[in-house]
Amino acid sequence: MKVTEVSRLPSTLPADDDHPYRTGAWRPQTIEYDADDLDVLEGTIPADLDGVYLRNTENPVMPALNGRYHPFDGDGMVHAIRFAGGRARYRNRFVRTAGLAAELEAGEPLWAGITEPAAASKRDGWGARTRMKDASSTDVVVHNRRAITTFYQCGDAYAMHPETLEQFGPAPWSGAGISAHPKLDPSTGELLTFRYSTTAPYLWYGLVDRDGRVVHDTPVPLPGPRLPHDIAFTENFVILNDLPLFWDEALLAKGIHRARFYPNLPTRFAVVPRRGLAPGEQPRWFEAQPTYVLHWINAYERDHEVVLDGYFQETPMPKFDPADGPYGPLKKLVDVHALKARPHRWRLDLATGACREERVFESISEFPSIHYARPGRPYRYAWSMTSPPGWFVFDGLVRLDLETGAEQRFQYDVGQYASEAPMAPRPGGTAEDDGYLVTFVGDVARDTGECHIFDAANLAGGPITRIALPARMSSGTHATWAPASALR
């Protein structure tokens, strides 16, 4: 492996840091590397694996403004591994956002984090579209030959070259701001986006074509400010949501952003044509059991129904126990076991307006992946990440067969943590699970980083390939796969 240190950012984090989401699996990485001809530790790199795996991470450079750091506050850092011809190369780069540049220049944090009072921020506006710094650290997707990073509180979509990670600044089409998670339709090349705010109409749905042109930006009026995190789509529709977990409106009027769960309110789904709403046209609204859904798995049309799959949370606001210690409340907020998140299905009947729902699996998992070409289309398999109770890290993977209800699992050893693992279809493959899963893995005890490749049809068999990386990266949230055809 040929490794070059490209740059190193100065960290101002405390030397004796003991924060659980800035140490161990979440220890930040401050060095940017180029690494070519990566060493294969086990197996071989499949010759037909041709594309790039990208992963975004929350990787803080500055401490929290008031000491109350949340793992979603970290600065974006993208890690990329490019496969071609049975070989691999790696790059990692900070997302050079306006907010990061301002804090580096000031030498101190300037904006409050998710669990800190917004009034504590030292700057408004530039570098932060909302009350928080636009860290662009949540998601990454490849659209129009660019890697696009986004932030869940709505901000600019920052563009990078998907292989070299050369940076191009905010994407021109994101001028109004977008949230995680924009959805790519590989069949059309379109990107479906959304954003939300504290002012009416509170929610907008946008469509960007395969060449980066905005087709429309459609308001979808809501009763008040909401906190949607994700959307889903089918061939003809986009499904937006009004979920009963949102900011307390009385406190919001005082500038306090504190979310509450309202169990007496229903979950609501808006089915909107992908082309947007014509003048005077209204969304089709459907009501269901109250819950919060962090991520949708997929959606598709069948006869007169829209079938929507996602992770139903039984306890969207877990109760805190003082015995959990000073970081207990923080851990429960991002613990899928405390949230009791399970795969769930909603059937939205376009003929009658009724919604039927059912539990798909009883096991707890989150952070889904499906076949690259299946978003918005009927599908059979989903691959999810598993986590240990009380902690936000990924300790394994599970393949969910939505046709038979069967599960297939792989569990990492204690102290080994994976990344979200997108499915990379095998070129020419005909079966839906004919392909690979790719993930980055950090081994905390050995302080090493690796990339693992799985046979998507035989997850339980463990990784078929292990590749050495130049360093162990911080844990994080989302990743994506882009085949070579999406890079040209």
Side-chain angles (χ1 to χ4, degrees), residues 35-115:
D36 298 316
D37 295 322
L38 300 181
D39 295 333
V40 177
L41 304 173
E42 181 180 340
T44 59
I45 299 173
D48 56 0
L49 185 61
D50 190 2
V52 64
Y53 168 63
L54 295 146
R55 183 189 166 211
N56 206 346
T57 52
E58 290 88 1
N59 197 93
V61 175
M62 302 287 171
L65 193 64
N66 286 343
R68 294 170 58 186
Y69 178 76
H70 187 284
F72 297 166
D73 294 339
D75 298 289
M77 176 183 274
V78 175
H79 303 258
I81 186 166
R82 175 67 162 100
F83 298 100
R87 302 171 70 182
R89 63 178 184 265
Y90 166 86
R91 305 285 186 268
N92 70 301
R93 298 290 188 273
F94 277 99
V95 184
R96 303 289 178 149
T97 64
L100 176 59
E103 290 190 329
L104 287 173
E105 182 180 358
E108 64 175 351
L110 299 175
W111 286 279
I114 186 173
T115 59

Side-chain angles (χ1 to χ4, degrees), residues 22-337:
R22 288 196 306 241
T23 57
W26 285 83
R27 184 193 66 191
Q29 182 176 342
T30 58
I31 303 174
E32 297 175 325
Y33 293 103
D34 286 355
D36 298 316
D37 295 322
L38 300 181
D39 295 333
V40 177
L41 304 173
E42 181 180 340
T44 59
I45 299 173
D48 56 0
L49 185 61
D50 190 2
V52 64
Y53 168 63
L54 295 146
R55 183 189 166 211
N56 206 346
T57 52
E58 290 88 1
N59 197 93
V61 175
M62 302 287 171
L65 193 64
N66 286 343
R68 294 170 58 186
Y69 178 76
H70 187 284
F72 297 166
D73 294 339
D75 298 289
M77 176 183 274
V78 175
H79 303 258
I81 186 166
R82 175 67 162 100
F83 298 100
R87 302 171 70 182
R89 63 178 184 265
Y90 166 86
R91 305 285 186 268
N92 70 301
R93 298 290 188 273
F94 277 99
V95 184
R96 303 289 178 149
T97 64
L100 176 59
E103 290 190 329
L104 287 173
E105 182 180 358
E108 64 175 351
L110 299 175
W111 286 279
I114 186 173
T115 59
E116 297 182 312
S121 292
K122 297 179 180 180
R123 287 199 188 175
D124 293 324
W126 182 74
R129 282 181 175 270
T130 61
R131 66 190 183 97
M132 296 166 57
K133 178 176 63 175
D134 178 4
S136 205
S137 57
T138 305
D139 201 7
V140 59
V141 65
V142 175
H143 171 254
N144 188 27
R145 302 175 300 281
R146 293 288 183 262
I148 303 296
T149 61
T150 51
F151 187 55
Y152 76 99
Q153 283 274 342
C154 300
D156 290 313
Y158 281 84
M160 291 179 163
H161 191 285
E163 298 178 77
T164 66
L165 303 187
E166 177 187 359
Q167 309 208 20
F168 305 108
W173 47 263
S174 70
I178 68 168
S179 178
H181 298 274
K183 293 293 186 179
L184 175 74
D185 185 348
S187 300
T188 65
E190 295 172 333
L191 192 69
L192 293 80
T193 73
F194 72 102
R195 70 183 190 276
Y196 57 93
S197 78
T198 57
T199 57
Y202 305 111
L203 180 65
W204 289 260
Y205 153 58
L207 186 68
V208 184
D209 71 14
R210 65 186 311 130
D211 297 315
R213 294 184 293 256
V214 176
V215 177
H216 67 75
D217 189 39
T218 300
V220 181
L222 295 176
R226 296 295 187 264
L227 291 170
H229 185 72
D230 197 7
I231 59 173
F233 69 91
T234 68
E235 292 186 66
N236 296 294
F237 302 104
V238 61
I239 302 96
L240 302 128
N241 54 81
D242 173 6
L243 305 177
L245 189 156
F246 49 85
W247 289 310
D248 184 307
E249 292 190 38
L251 294 176
L252 188 61
K254 301 176 182 179
I256 301 171
H257 296 74
R258 185 172 300 162
R260 285 182 54 195
F261 180 56
Y262 297 85
N264 296 325
L265 295 179
T267 288
R268 300 201 310 149
F269 301 111
V271 176
V272 175
R274 281 178 57 161
R275 59 170 169 75
L277 295 169
E281 186 178 14
Q282 298 296 319
R284 291 286 306 276
W285 285 100
F286 297 81
E287 293 190 355
Q289 295 180 66
T291 187
Y292 190 78
V293 178
L294 193 63
H295 299 118
W296 305 104
I297 302 172
N298 195 22
Y300 58 91
E301 298 165 41
R302 175 169 288 171
D303 299 327
H304 51 81
E305 287 185 330
V306 168
V307 180
L308 174 65
D309 294 341
Y311 298 95
F312 185 103
Q313 296 180 2
E314 287 187 29
T315 54
M317 294 291 287
K319 293 182 179 179
F320 307 139
D321 185 342
D324 293 334
Y327 296 114
L330 173 60
K331 285 189 173 184
K332 281 195 171 176
L333 283 172
V334 289
D335 174 10
V336 297
H337 289 270

Side-chain angles (χ1 to χ4, degrees), residues 289 307-310 312 342-347 356-362:
Q289 295 180 66
V307 180
L308 174 65
D309 294 341
F312 185 103
R342 294 181 172 91
H344 198 80
R345 174 165 288 176
W346 294 262
R347 297 181 181 273
R356 293 185 296 124
E357 52 187 305
E358 60 194 85
R359 179 64 48 78
V360 183
F361 289 88
E362 289 299 326

